[in-house]
Amino acid sequence: MKKTIKAICRNAVLAAFSAVLLVAAGGCSKSGAKTNAKINDTTLRIKKQGVFSSGGSITEPVPGTYDETTNWLSTTREGNTAHVDHANVFFQIPESETKNPVVFLHGYGQSRTGWQTTPDGREGWADMFLRSGHSVFLVDQPRRASAGMTAKMTMSSLDAWGEGGMYYKPGDQAWYTHFRIGRVPPQRYEGSQFPSGEEAQNQFFRQMTVNTGDYDEKLFGKSLSAVLVDVRKMTGKKSVYITHSQGSRVGWQTDPENIAAIVAIEPGGTPAPDSEEYKKLLAAKIPVAVYFGDYIDNGPADIQSTTFWKTVRDNALIFAERYNADGGTAIVADLPKEGITGNSHFMFQELNNAQIAAHIEEWLSKVLK
């Protein structure tokens, strides 16, 4: 793959994401030439980038003998196998790599796209963490997006209509309400950090990605464990594992030996004390940070999701209290209580995403010494 150098010209200083991420105003003329040698260069310099797959399996051959003369035209596919249920990873290693690599894992209905940009086209967390000195590894989990190959198409009631599973079940409005952006699109809650405007909403909904196969937490955990093994081979370091929503549940199923720290962004749940997942994290001494946004304690009482997110947040607090008491290191960052307000389930894509990324970097600097 050809090396790509991405030049980004900014008109304002991005000051919130720590000193190492300061992006100077100006820096490029209309022709792309630097206008002042003393102005900080905003170019992202990538030493290496590419794509690879990790984990997965190979199906048994279809009964019969493969006939290369008919090959693809044989609708019965005798003798054919399929490589399935792997994870697919896009990675970038910066020239200025100084910190642990970051492995990003998306949530349900999403892909790695959510880490790369925002609905209104601003810089995503992938580039922000690159600027801070991390290599980044952006995963499409098995049976999703670029890792969609699987042996059996989904018939999950969350994704498909009826037993045939031939039609994808719509969910734009359900995503919007459940993830606390607003009651009904295009409404946003008061003080919302979610980007406004019709085009931003359009871009957000077009990030949603159908599952090709059924959700299998333990199987996905095996493929993500393989990703972390490959990342350590490439970088020589354990990974900071940033997971989101349903992806966090896969995160708890991932083998911890190649994990430096876990940052769970509004996880679908946290390990119950004394569970197998809890014991593995504790034995490996994995620092854990769990982040929650706004509109939980102050969410609409008549929307069922409000109770759901309160329960998830409260269980995370129980997890962290017990984890710390047992000798581990854990925090629950309830952002509104820290004065960071207006965030939905998609805080990494919102107007203050740089501020939250800086908050994570500050925590990492304390636990990864």
PDB file of all heavy atoms in Angstrom, residues 327-354:
ATOM      1  N   GLY A 327      -7.518  -4.278  44.801  1.00  0.00           N
ATOM      2  CA  GLY A 327      -6.140  -3.989  44.412  1.00  0.00           C
ATOM      3  C   GLY A 327      -5.949  -3.569  42.976  1.00  0.00           C
ATOM      4  O   GLY A 327      -4.826  -3.342  42.532  1.00  0.00           O
ATOM      5  N   GLY A 328      -7.043  -3.445  42.232  1.00  0.00           N
ATOM      6  CA  GLY A 328      -6.950  -2.972  40.852  1.00  0.00           C
ATOM      7  C   GLY A 328      -7.002  -1.456  40.774  1.00  0.00           C
ATOM      8  O   GLY A 328      -7.038  -0.761  41.796  1.00  0.00           O
ATOM      9  N   THR A 329      -7.006  -0.948  39.547  1.00  0.00           N
ATOM     10  CA  THR A 329      -7.092   0.492  39.300  1.00  0.00           C
ATOM     11  C   THR A 329      -8.240   0.745  38.337  1.00  0.00           C
ATOM     12  O   THR A 329      -8.225   0.257  37.199  1.00  0.00           O
ATOM     13  CB  THR A 329      -5.792   1.031  38.682  1.00  0.00           C
ATOM     14  OG1 THR A 329      -4.709   0.798  39.588  1.00  0.00           O
ATOM     15  CG2 THR A 329      -5.902   2.523  38.392  1.00  0.00           C
ATOM     16  N   ALA A 330      -9.239   1.499  38.785  1.00  0.00           N
ATOM     17  CA  ALA A 330     -10.391   1.780  37.931  1.00  0.00           C
ATOM     18  C   ALA A 330     -10.994   3.126  38.292  1.00  0.00           C
ATOM     19  O   ALA A 330     -10.989   3.530  39.461  1.00  0.00           O
ATOM     20  CB  ALA A 330     -11.448   0.683  38.061  1.00  0.00           C
ATOM     21  N   ILE A 331     -11.497   3.812  37.276  1.00  0.00           N
ATOM     22  CA  ILE A 331     -12.263   5.036  37.484  1.00  0.00           C
ATOM     23  C   ILE A 331     -13.532   4.965  36.646  1.00  0.00           C
ATOM     24  O   ILE A 331     -13.580   4.270  35.624  1.00  0.00           O
ATOM     25  CB  ILE A 331     -11.487   6.311  37.096  1.00  0.00           C
ATOM     26  CG1 ILE A 331     -11.200   6.351  35.583  1.00  0.00           C
ATOM     27  CG2 ILE A 331     -10.206   6.448  37.897  1.00  0.00           C
ATOM     28  CD1 ILE A 331     -10.803   7.714  35.057  1.00  0.00           C
ATOM     29  N   VAL A 332     -14.553   5.662  37.089  1.00  0.00           N
ATOM     30  CA  VAL A 332     -15.731   5.923  36.269  1.00  0.00           C
ATOM     31  C   VAL A 332     -15.793   7.430  36.070  1.00  0.00           C
ATOM     32  O   VAL A 332     -15.986   8.173  37.039  1.00  0.00           O
ATOM     33  CB  VAL A 332     -17.026   5.406  36.922  1.00  0.00           C
ATOM     34  CG1 VAL A 332     -18.239   5.814  36.088  1.00  0.00           C
ATOM     35  CG2 VAL A 332     -16.974   3.889  37.073  1.00  0.00           C
ATOM     36  N   ALA A 333     -15.581   7.856  34.847  1.00  0.00           N
ATOM     37  CA  ALA A 333     -15.629   9.282  34.530  1.00  0.00           C
ATOM     38  C   ALA A 333     -17.057   9.632  34.132  1.00  0.00           C
ATOM     39  O   ALA A 333     -17.481   9.396  32.995  1.00  0.00           O
ATOM     40  CB  ALA A 333     -14.655   9.606  33.403  1.00  0.00           C
ATOM     41  N   ASP A 334     -17.807  10.151  35.102  1.00  0.00           N
ATOM     42  CA  ASP A 334     -19.173  10.621  34.854  1.00  0.00           C
ATOM     43  C   ASP A 334     -19.034  12.079  34.433  1.00  0.00           C
ATOM     44  O   ASP A 334     -18.962  12.983  35.269  1.00  0.00           O
ATOM     45  CB  ASP A 334     -20.003  10.467  36.129  1.00  0.00           C
ATOM     46  CG  ASP A 334     -21.489  10.640  35.889  1.00  0.00           C
ATOM     47  OD1 ASP A 334     -21.860  11.230  34.855  1.00  0.00           O
ATOM     48  OD2 ASP A 334     -22.282  10.182  36.726  1.00  0.00           O
ATOM     49  N   LEU A 335     -18.947  12.323  33.144  1.00  0.00           N
ATOM     50  CA  LEU A 335     -18.506  13.624  32.635  1.00  0.00           C
ATOM     51  C   LEU A 335     -19.323  14.807  33.143  1.00  0.00           C
ATOM     52  O   LEU A 335     -18.744  15.836  33.494  1.00  0.00           O
ATOM     53  CB  LEU A 335     -18.479  13.589  31.102  1.00  0.00           C
ATOM     54  CG  LEU A 335     -17.449  12.632  30.494  1.00  0.00           C
ATOM     55  CD1 LEU A 335     -17.511  12.675  28.960  1.00  0.00           C
ATOM     56  CD2 LEU A 335     -16.035  12.964  30.955  1.00  0.00           C
ATOM     57  N   PRO A 336     -20.661  14.747  33.219  1.00  0.00           N
ATOM     58  CA  PRO A 336     -21.392  15.906  33.745  1.00  0.00           C
ATOM     59  C   PRO A 336     -20.974  16.285  35.164  1.00  0.00           C
ATOM     60  O   PRO A 336     -20.955  17.470  35.513  1.00  0.00           O
ATOM     61  CB  PRO A 336     -22.850  15.445  33.697  1.00  0.00           C
ATOM     62  CG  PRO A 336     -22.884  14.425  32.621  1.00  0.00           C
ATOM     63  CD  PRO A 336     -21.578  13.706  32.725  1.00  0.00           C
ATOM     64  N   LYS A 337     -20.628  15.280  35.968  1.00  0.00           N
ATOM     65  CA  LYS A 337     -20.187  15.581  37.338  1.00  0.00           C
ATOM     66  C   LYS A 337     -18.817  16.245  37.356  1.00  0.00           C
ATOM     67  O   LYS A 337     -18.408  16.821  38.367  1.00  0.00           O
ATOM     68  CB  LYS A 337     -20.174  14.298  38.178  1.00  0.00           C
ATOM     69  CG  LYS A 337     -21.564  13.762  38.484  1.00  0.00           C
ATOM     70  CD  LYS A 337     -21.503  12.525  39.349  1.00  0.00           C
ATOM     71  CE  LYS A 337     -22.881  12.099  39.850  1.00  0.00           C
ATOM     72  NZ  LYS A 337     -23.851  11.826  38.777  1.00  0.00           N
ATOM     73  N   GLU A 338     -18.099  16.168  36.232  1.00  0.00           N
ATOM     74  CA  GLU A 338     -16.805  16.834  36.114  1.00  0.00           C
ATOM     75  C   GLU A 338     -16.909  18.133  35.327  1.00  0.00           C
ATOM     76  O   GLU A 338     -15.895  18.734  34.955  1.00  0.00           O
ATOM     77  CB  GLU A 338     -15.798  15.893  35.453  1.00  0.00           C
ATOM     78  CG  GLU A 338     -15.550  14.621  36.251  1.00  0.00           C
ATOM     79  CD  GLU A 338     -14.388  13.805  35.710  1.00  0.00           C
ATOM     80  OE1 GLU A 338     -13.455  14.397  35.129  1.00  0.00           O
ATOM     81  OE2 GLU A 338     -14.414  12.570  35.885  1.00  0.00           O
ATOM     82  N   GLY A 339     -18.135  18.553  35.047  1.00  0.00           N
ATOM     83  CA  GLY A 339     -18.356  19.812  34.347  1.00  0.00           C
ATOM     84  C   GLY A 339     -18.287  19.707  32.832  1.00  0.00           C
ATOM     85  O   GLY A 339     -18.278  20.730  32.141  1.00  0.00           O
ATOM     86  N   ILE A 340     -18.257  18.496  32.297  1.00  0.00           N
ATOM     87  CA  ILE A 340     -18.246  18.297  30.843  1.00  0.00           C
ATOM     88  C   ILE A 340     -19.632  17.808  30.459  1.00  0.00           C
ATOM     89  O   ILE A 340     -19.992  16.648  30.691  1.00  0.00           O
ATOM     90  CB  ILE A 340     -17.166  17.277  30.422  1.00  0.00           C
ATOM     91  CG1 ILE A 340     -15.795  17.750  30.890  1.00  0.00           C
ATOM     92  CG2 ILE A 340     -17.175  17.069  28.915  1.00  0.00           C
ATOM     93  CD1 ILE A 340     -14.677  16.742  30.650  1.00  0.00           C
ATOM     94  N   THR A 341     -20.432  18.684  29.879  1.00  0.00           N
ATOM     95  CA  THR A 341     -21.848  18.402  29.685  1.00  0.00           C
ATOM     96  C   THR A 341     -22.213  18.307  28.210  1.00  0.00           C
ATOM     97  O   THR A 341     -21.469  18.724  27.334  1.00  0.00           O
ATOM     98  CB  THR A 341     -22.708  19.494  30.347  1.00  0.00           C
ATOM     99  OG1 THR A 341     -22.388  20.762  29.745  1.00  0.00           O
ATOM    100  CG2 THR A 341     -22.449  19.555  31.841  1.00  0.00           C
ATOM    101  N   GLY A 342     -23.407  17.756  27.966  1.00  0.00           N
ATOM    102  CA  GLY A 342     -23.988  17.759  26.626  1.00  0.00           C
ATOM    103  C   GLY A 342     -23.625  16.582  25.752  1.00  0.00           C
ATOM    104  O   GLY A 342     -23.955  16.578  24.556  1.00  0.00           O
ATOM    105  N   ASN A 343     -22.983  15.562  26.316  1.00  0.00           N
ATOM    106  CA  ASN A 343     -22.524  14.448  25.479  1.00  0.00           C
ATOM    107  C   ASN A 343     -23.520  13.295  25.450  1.00  0.00           C
ATOM    108  O   ASN A 343     -24.096  12.921  26.459  1.00  0.00           O
ATOM    109  CB  ASN A 343     -21.174  13.923  25.960  1.00  0.00           C
ATOM    110  CG  ASN A 343     -20.053  14.883  25.651  1.00  0.00           C
ATOM    111  OD1 ASN A 343     -19.489  15.500  26.549  1.00  0.00           O
ATOM    112  ND2 ASN A 343     -19.748  15.037  24.377  1.00  0.00           N
ATOM    113  N   SER A 344     -23.662  12.725  24.264  1.00  0.00           N
ATOM    114  CA  SER A 344     -24.489  11.540  24.066  1.00  0.00           C
ATOM    115  C   SER A 344     -23.611  10.295  24.142  1.00  0.00           C
ATOM    116  O   SER A 344     -22.456  10.346  24.581  1.00  0.00           O
ATOM    117  CB  SER A 344     -25.178  11.619  22.698  1.00  0.00           C
ATOM    118  OG  SER A 344     -24.246  11.335  21.653  1.00  0.00           O
ATOM    119  N   HIS A 345     -24.137   9.202  23.648  1.00  0.00           N
ATOM    120  CA  HIS A 345     -23.415   7.929  23.577  1.00  0.00           C
ATOM    121  C   HIS A 345     -22.217   8.017  22.632  1.00  0.00           C
ATOM    122  O   HIS A 345     -21.297   7.210  22.736  1.00  0.00           O
ATOM    123  CB  HIS A 345     -24.406   6.872  23.089  1.00  0.00           C
ATOM    124  CG  HIS A 345     -23.936   5.461  23.177  1.00  0.00           C
ATOM    125  ND1 HIS A 345     -23.537   4.873  24.361  1.00  0.00           N
ATOM    126  CD2 HIS A 345     -23.806   4.489  22.225  1.00  0.00           C
ATOM    127  CE1 HIS A 345     -23.211   3.617  24.142  1.00  0.00           C
ATOM    128  NE2 HIS A 345     -23.354   3.356  22.852  1.00  0.00           N
ATOM    129  N   PHE A 346     -22.224   9.005  21.758  1.00  0.00           N
ATOM    130  CA  PHE A 346     -21.172   9.143  20.741  1.00  0.00           C
ATOM    131  C   PHE A 346     -20.259  10.322  21.052  1.00  0.00           C
ATOM    132  O   PHE A 346     -19.944  11.139  20.180  1.00  0.00           O
ATOM    133  CB  PHE A 346     -21.799   9.273  19.350  1.00  0.00           C
ATOM    134  CG  PHE A 346     -22.484   8.019  18.905  1.00  0.00           C
ATOM    135  CD1 PHE A 346     -23.832   7.818  19.161  1.00  0.00           C
ATOM    136  CD2 PHE A 346     -21.774   7.025  18.261  1.00  0.00           C
ATOM    137  CE1 PHE A 346     -24.464   6.649  18.762  1.00  0.00           C
ATOM    138  CE2 PHE A 346     -22.391   5.846  17.868  1.00  0.00           C
ATOM    139  CZ  PHE A 346     -23.739   5.654  18.120  1.00  0.00           C
ATOM    140  N   MET A 347     -19.765  10.390  22.272  1.00  0.00           N
ATOM    141  CA  MET A 347     -18.945  11.514  22.716  1.00  0.00           C
ATOM    142  C   MET A 347     -17.697  11.706  21.876  1.00  0.00           C
ATOM    143  O   MET A 347     -17.184  12.819  21.752  1.00  0.00           O
ATOM    144  CB  MET A 347     -18.572  11.334  24.183  1.00  0.00           C
ATOM    145  CG  MET A 347     -17.743  10.108  24.474  1.00  0.00           C
ATOM    146  SD  MET A 347     -17.380   9.904  26.258  1.00  0.00           S
ATOM    147  CE  MET A 347     -18.985   9.465  26.921  1.00  0.00           C
ATOM    148  N   PHE A 348     -17.172  10.643  21.273  1.00  0.00           N
ATOM    149  CA  PHE A 348     -15.948  10.731  20.477  1.00  0.00           C
ATOM    150  C   PHE A 348     -16.179  11.403  19.136  1.00  0.00           C
ATOM    151  O   PHE A 348     -15.221  11.691  18.413  1.00  0.00           O
ATOM    152  CB  PHE A 348     -15.339   9.341  20.274  1.00  0.00           C
ATOM    153  CG  PHE A 348     -16.303   8.305  19.785  1.00  0.00           C
ATOM    154  CD1 PHE A 348     -16.475   8.067  18.444  1.00  0.00           C
ATOM    155  CD2 PHE A 348     -17.051   7.569  20.698  1.00  0.00           C
ATOM    156  CE1 PHE A 348     -17.387   7.109  18.004  1.00  0.00           C
ATOM    157  CE2 PHE A 348     -17.948   6.605  20.266  1.00  0.00           C
ATOM    158  CZ  PHE A 348     -18.121   6.374  18.912  1.00  0.00           C
ATOM    159  N   GLN A 349     -17.436  11.691  18.793  1.00  0.00           N
ATOM    160  CA  GLN A 349     -17.743  12.353  17.536  1.00  0.00           C
ATOM    161  C   GLN A 349     -18.335  13.748  17.739  1.00  0.00           C
ATOM    162  O   GLN A 349     -18.661  14.428  16.773  1.00  0.00           O
ATOM    163  CB  GLN A 349     -18.739  11.517  16.732  1.00  0.00           C
ATOM    164  CG  GLN A 349     -18.169  10.190  16.244  1.00  0.00           C
ATOM    165  CD  GLN A 349     -18.944   9.654  15.066  1.00  0.00           C
ATOM    166  OE1 GLN A 349     -20.165   9.579  15.080  1.00  0.00           O
ATOM    167  NE2 GLN A 349     -18.235   9.286  14.022  1.00  0.00           N
ATOM    168  N   GLU A 350     -18.419  14.176  18.976  1.00  0.00           N
ATOM    169  CA  GLU A 350     -19.152  15.406  19.246  1.00  0.00           C
ATOM    170  C   GLU A 350     -18.227  16.625  19.292  1.00  0.00           C
ATOM    171  O   GLU A 350     -17.013  16.512  19.123  1.00  0.00           O
ATOM    172  CB  GLU A 350     -19.981  15.213  20.508  1.00  0.00           C
ATOM    173  CG  GLU A 350     -21.027  14.115  20.251  1.00  0.00           C
ATOM    174  CD  GLU A 350     -21.994  13.857  21.387  1.00  0.00           C
ATOM    175  OE1 GLU A 350     -21.535  13.630  22.525  1.00  0.00           O
ATOM    176  OE2 GLU A 350     -23.206  13.859  21.131  1.00  0.00           O
ATOM    177  N   LEU A 351     -18.834  17.789  19.500  1.00  0.00           N
ATOM    178  CA  LEU A 351     -18.107  19.047  19.340  1.00  0.00           C
ATOM    179  C   LEU A 351     -16.933  19.166  20.308  1.00  0.00           C
ATOM    180  O   LEU A 351     -15.953  19.841  20.007  1.00  0.00           O
ATOM    181  CB  LEU A 351     -19.069  20.228  19.526  1.00  0.00           C
ATOM    182  CG  LEU A 351     -20.224  20.300  18.520  1.00  0.00           C
ATOM    183  CD1 LEU A 351     -21.141  21.473  18.847  1.00  0.00           C
ATOM    184  CD2 LEU A 351     -19.705  20.421  17.087  1.00  0.00           C
ATOM    185  N   ASN A 352     -17.014  18.524  21.458  1.00  0.00           N
ATOM    186  CA  ASN A 352     -15.946  18.580  22.454  1.00  0.00           C
ATOM    187  C   ASN A 352     -15.140  17.286  22.504  1.00  0.00           C
ATOM    188  O   ASN A 352     -14.584  16.928  23.540  1.00  0.00           O
ATOM    189  CB  ASN A 352     -16.521  18.898  23.835  1.00  0.00           C
ATOM    190  CG  ASN A 352     -17.498  17.824  24.322  1.00  0.00           C
ATOM    191  OD1 ASN A 352     -17.979  17.000  23.539  1.00  0.00           O
ATOM    192  ND2 ASN A 352     -17.798  17.845  25.620  1.00  0.00           N
ATOM    193  N   ASN A 353     -15.062  16.564  21.376  1.00  0.00           N
ATOM    194  CA  ASN A 353     -14.350  15.281  21.384  1.00  0.00           C
ATOM    195  C   ASN A 353     -12.872  15.439  21.736  1.00  0.00           C
ATOM    196  O   ASN A 353     -12.273  14.548  22.346  1.00  0.00           O
ATOM    197  CB  ASN A 353     -14.533  14.538  20.059  1.00  0.00           C
ATOM    198  CG  ASN A 353     -13.970  15.267  18.852  1.00  0.00           C
ATOM    199  OD1 ASN A 353     -13.713  16.472  18.896  1.00  0.00           O
ATOM    200  ND2 ASN A 353     -13.804  14.545  17.757  1.00  0.00           N
ATOM    201  N   ALA A 354     -12.278  16.572  21.385  1.00  0.00           N
ATOM    202  CA  ALA A 354     -10.872  16.796  21.736  1.00  0.00           C
ATOM    203  C   ALA A 354     -10.695  16.935  23.249  1.00  0.00           C
ATOM    204  O   ALA A 354      -9.705  16.452  23.815  1.00  0.00           O
ATOM    205  CB  ALA A 354     -10.348  18.048  21.033  1.00  0.00           C
TER     206      ALA A 354
END
